[in-house]
Amino acid sequence: MFAACCDGRMCVCPGPRRIGIPGRSCSPALLLDAMSVPTRLLYPLFRNCDFGRKCTSICYCHHKYPCCPSNPHSSNSFRYRRGNSFVSAFHSPKESCDQLRRYVTTPQRFYLTPPQVNSILKANEYSFKVPEFDGKNISSILGFDSNQLPANAPIEDRRSAATCLQTRGMLLGVFDGHAGCACAQAVSERLFYYIAVSLLPHETLLEIENAVESGRALLPILQWHKHPNDYFSKEASKLYFNSLRTYWQELIDLNTGETTDVKEALINSFKRLDTDLSLEAQVGDPNSFLNYWVLRVAFSGATACVAHVDGVDLHVANTGDSRALLGVQEEDGSWSAVTMSHDHNAQNESEVKRIKSEHPKSEEKSVVKQDRLLGLLMPFRAFGDVKFKWSIDLQKRVVESGPDQLNDNEYTKFIPPNYHSPPYLTAAPEVIYHKLRPKDKFLILATDGLWETMHRQDVVKIVGEYLTGVHHQQPIAVGGYKVTLGQMQGLLMDRRARISSVFEDQNAATHLIRHAVGNNEFGAVDHERLSKMLSLPEELARMYRDDITIIVVQFNSHVIGAYQNQEQ
């Protein structure tokens, strides 16, 4: 189970890394065959490259960083993250093996009851229905459901939803943090303000600036739709406001008199916020708490997937590997999925070409290595992550002059290998536009914790059937499985239960999470599996899955049809 890895340390090496004798490639399938039965229970952590976060100081977040960079000073230590510090758990290979063997072979027999499962699944759910006026809903959005299921402690995902009060439209977004939750938290609080300001007409910007100068009350820009757990950083509010004000002052000075393009506004907002995160970390703050906070934000990272819906105009701006998916109901009642974003990682060939084209030919083999940016970072676009943006001199200067907590963090001192021509990372989003049609029924925004467990077509089908309450009774497909009559009876019973259980969840995002975590090989929710997954202790849960954050936006087909008729 243990193998010499990278620099010779004893380490559990997952996924695409080499496993076994150095110099010999070993597939996860071969490794699984060699495992004992109890050990196989932990196979998902090998497959998803999740155990690497316990190896070293740059491995502490889900698959965003790889395992085992070279560090000759910790040849026999096995390290894990606790809060903001790293603890050496073992001091010898034998101790490592013995303790991990005891850890993984102890079966957990505790099962949650259905009410307990529901309590966990519904703890973070939130629903919002767009209000009607004079009996007629003037919005193309009926409402939305959102939910989160943590795997990390604390959860590193964030979500946001708000109505733009000075312009038309609604903003919704999911944010997947890595190397901690600080960057995702800051982006979830601030990005929508930057977008809303970018969309404001020149006259409104002048009115807001004059109100600030004269000390009058400001026009409200956003109406937030938040769960009580979706908090704001009150201590940093003044800092955030000053940076935002500087941005709108520049927009006033640069006024061209032309109507703001939504796509351009989204791109500019993403880039400007990322620039402000970087500048705030470089300048620092006299307040020691704020100084450490802005540095945490800058050195951690976050991906973002944001939708702006205005009438029939849907724009999706994506940075990283969260996704947006449109659910379309065809004339025969079946459901199809329309992709509204592209992952920015090594699986995207155009993204790999973009990265390589921005750096010298001499770095062609090192800029993307082992499907990661510089061999370390999985997403090729992200907020924060200044380790991949700042020069080496700037990184050293900020760390050396920073608070003691920053100096004690090994990750901040680590310089990525082959670091010659920064920046290697950008927060600029890819924006996709879609004109809504009556058959476009809903939009799903979700972090990669969902997409790692479910295929997009299954996701759309589950949500579509939930929203309509209709299940097409197709023959049960069991694939290559040998199914007994008893098992077949169980499958039929499951399907009967599924028809009624669609109403068990009052939230579409909760219903989708239930399937993502509890689905069995036949596509049905297995309560025993769901119970096991939700009862895993914090230190184990992250090995099996990532944080999951979902927003399901339901469209008003009648309003969209009316828009369509007006244009014709």
Side-chain angles (χ1 to χ4, degrees):
M1 182 173 178
F2 280 86
C5 165
C6 309
D7 59 350
R9 285 178 292 151
M10 301 304 294
C11 171
V12 180
C13 270
R17 278 286 198 186
R18 287 184 173 179
I19 304 172
I21 301 172
R24 175 186 172 191
S25 296
C26 178
S27 69
L30 293 177
L31 177 64
L32 185 61
D33 291 338
M35 293 177 184
S36 62
V37 173
T39 304
R40 294 186 192 186
L41 297 175
L42 289 182
Y43 176 61
L45 68 91
F46 293 95
R47 181 193 63 210
N48 292 333
C49 196
D50 289 341
F51 212 92
R53 76 189 187 102
K54 288 184 175 280
C55 295
T56 185
S57 60
I58 67 159
C59 299
Y60 55 86
C61 63
H62 162 68
H63 78 247
K64 306 299 181 185
Y65 299 95
C67 81
C68 306
S70 179
N71 186 353
H73 301 294
S74 56
S75 59
N76 290 320
S77 65
F78 191 68
R79 302 168 66 83
Y80 65 95
R81 186 170 188 260
R82 179 180 294 166
N84 291 320
S85 61
F86 295 87
V87 182
S88 178
F90 310 119
H91 298 283
S92 70
K94 184 180 187 301
E95 185 182 354
S96 304
C97 293
D98 291 344
Q99 186 160 343
L100 187 60
R101 190 177 296 113
R102 290 196 301 271
Y103 191 22
V104 301
T105 57
T106 303
Q108 186 169 3
R109 299 297 183 187
F110 175 71
Y111 296 112
L112 301 172
T113 64
Q116 289 172 325
V117 166
N118 287 338
S119 178
I120 294 173
L121 291 179
K122 298 180 179 184
N124 296 309
E125 68 178 12
Y126 177 84
S127 296
F128 175 77
K129 303 300 179 185
V130 175
E132 295 182 352
F133 300 93
D134 300 325
K136 182 181 179 181
N137 193 335
I138 61 172
S139 173
S140 57
I141 295 178
L142 284 171
F144 69 87
D145 293 334
S146 72
N147 202 351
Q148 293 184 300
L149 182 66
N152 292 295
I155 185 172
E156 295 182 342
D157 282 5
R158 293 293 185 271
R159 59 183 166 176
S160 290
T163 300
C164 299
L165 295 177
Q166 304 303 323
T167 59
R168 299 190 309 169
M170 182 177 285
L171 288 163
L172 308 106
V174 294
F175 311 93
D176 188 352
H178 50 267
C181 62
C183 189
Q185 176 63 39
V187 175
S188 70
E189 293 182 43
R190 305 176 66 179
L191 181 58
F192 286 7
Y193 280 113
Y194 280 70
I195 295 173
V197 164
S198 299
L199 293 171
L200 289 177
H202 181 68
E203 295 76 14
T204 306
L205 289 174
L206 283 174
E207 186 176 347
I208 292 175
E209 175 60 21
N210 291 334
V212 174
E213 290 182 352
S214 61
R216 291 184 286 110
L218 295 179
L219 287 172
I221 298 175
L222 296 173
Q223 177 189 355
W224 290 95
H225 311 299
K226 281 188 172 288
H227 187 277
N229 292 345
D230 301 334
Y231 60 91
F232 280 92
S233 305
K234 294 181 180 179
E235 299 85 355
S237 59
K238 184 177 180 181
L239 172 68
Y240 292 171
F241 177 80
N242 290 336
S243 295
L244 180 65
R245 184 185 180 188
T246 301
Y247 179 47
W248 81 51
Q249 288 173 337
E250 292 180 12
L251 290 176
I252 292 174
D253 294 338
L254 295 172
N255 174 53
T256 60
E258 298 178 0
T259 304
T260 304
D261 177 73
V262 176
K263 179 178 179 179
E264 183 181 357
L266 289 167
I267 294 174
N268 291 341
S269 300
F270 274 61
K271 292 166 66 175
R272 178 53 183 254
L273 175 56
D274 191 55
T275 298
D276 284 352
L277 298 180
S278 177
L279 290 175
E280 289 162 3
Q282 294 175 48
V283 173
D285 194 280
N287 182 305
S288 59
F289 172 81
L290 283 182
N291 190 35
Y292 183 49
W293 171 251
V294 296
L295 289 167
R296 282 182 58 198
V297 170
F299 278 95
S300 60
T303 65
C305 188
V306 172
H308 179 266
V309 185
D310 181 3
V312 294
D313 297 321
L314 168 63
H315 290 83
V316 174
N318 183 55
T319 289
D321 52 10
S322 294
R323 293 182 189 172
L325 199 62
L326 196 63
V328 180
Q329 189 170 31
E330 306 297 346
E331 292 183 359
D332 62 358
S334 63
W335 295 94
S336 60
V338 176
T339 300
M340 288 297 299
S341 66
H342 300 124
D343 291 353
H344 299 131
N345 54 31
Q347 280 63 55
N348 185 336
E349 291 185 6
S350 62
E351 191 70 2
V352 174
K353 290 180 181 178
R354 179 189 67 81
I355 290 286
K356 291 184 175 181
S357 68
E358 294 175 353
H359 299 277
K361 269 283 188 181
S362 58
E363 296 184 61
E364 188 173 6
K365 294 183 179 179
S366 62
V367 68
V368 176
K369 194 173 181 179
Q370 295 173 326
D371 288 343
R372 296 170 184 266
L373 187 64
L374 296 179
L376 296 176
L377 190 65
M378 180 168 281
F380 287 177
R381 303 191 193 195
F383 285 92
D385 281 320
V386 294
K387 298 293 295 182
F388 299 87
K389 297 173 180 176
W390 289 355
S391 68
I392 294 177
D393 289 340
L394 178 58
Q395 291 185 41
K396 290 180 178 179
R397 178 170 59 82
V398 170
V399 171
E400 289 172 359
S401 61
D404 292 338
Q405 300 100 311
L406 195 68
N407 279 288
D408 293 339
N409 189 327
E410 295 178 26
Y411 169 65
T412 59
K413 297 179 181 179
F414 174 78
I415 301 298
N418 302 302
Y419 198 79
H420 305 299
S421 57
Y424 290 89
L425 193 65
T426 179
E430 184 177 8
V431 180
I432 293 180
Y433 169 77
H434 178 80
K435 189 172 184 179
L436 292 172
R437 307 157 296 179
K439 66 178 183 177
D440 299 328
K441 301 300 182 182
F442 57 87
L443 176 73
I444 300 172
L445 303 171
T447 55
D448 61 349
L450 173 67
W451 311 112
E452 289 172 353
T453 61
M454 300 188 71
H455 188 272
R456 63 176 190 165
Q457 189 59 47
D458 295 331
V459 168
V460 165
K461 182 181 178 184
I462 289 169
V463 174
E465 290 178 348
Y466 168 83
L467 292 176
T468 60
V470 175
H471 295 259
H472 295 284
Q473 295 299 314
Q474 300 175 349
I476 291 179
V478 295
Y481 296 97
K482 294 181 180 180
V483 180
T484 65
L485 288 176
Q487 290 172 325
M488 180 60 74
Q489 182 183 14
L491 290 173
L492 292 170
M493 295 294 290
D494 284 342
R495 183 157 82 172
R496 178 182 295 180
R498 222 184 316 162
I499 296 174
S500 58
S501 70
V502 68
F503 302 105
E504 177 181 346
D505 295 315
Q506 302 301 312
N507 182 295
T510 303
H511 189 69
L512 190 51
I513 290 176
R514 187 184 300 273
H515 278 266
V517 178
N519 263 14
N520 60 21
E521 60 268 32
F522 303 111
V525 175
D526 182 332
H527 174 74
E528 183 175 334
R529 173 182 172 82
L530 187 59
S531 174
K532 288 178 180 178
M533 292 296 287
L534 294 180
S535 61
L536 288 170
E538 290 179 354
E539 63 270 18
L540 275 180
R542 187 58 200 85
M543 299 179 184
Y544 283 84
R545 60 177 178 83
D546 194 4
D547 299 327
I548 300 175
T549 298
I550 301 171
I551 299 177
V552 179
V553 187
Q554 189 174 0
F555 296 122
N556 191 327
S557 299
H558 299 293
V559 171
I560 293 173
Y563 273 109
Q564 198 174 60
N565 293 333
Q566 289 177 1
E567 293 179 356
Q568 293 175 351

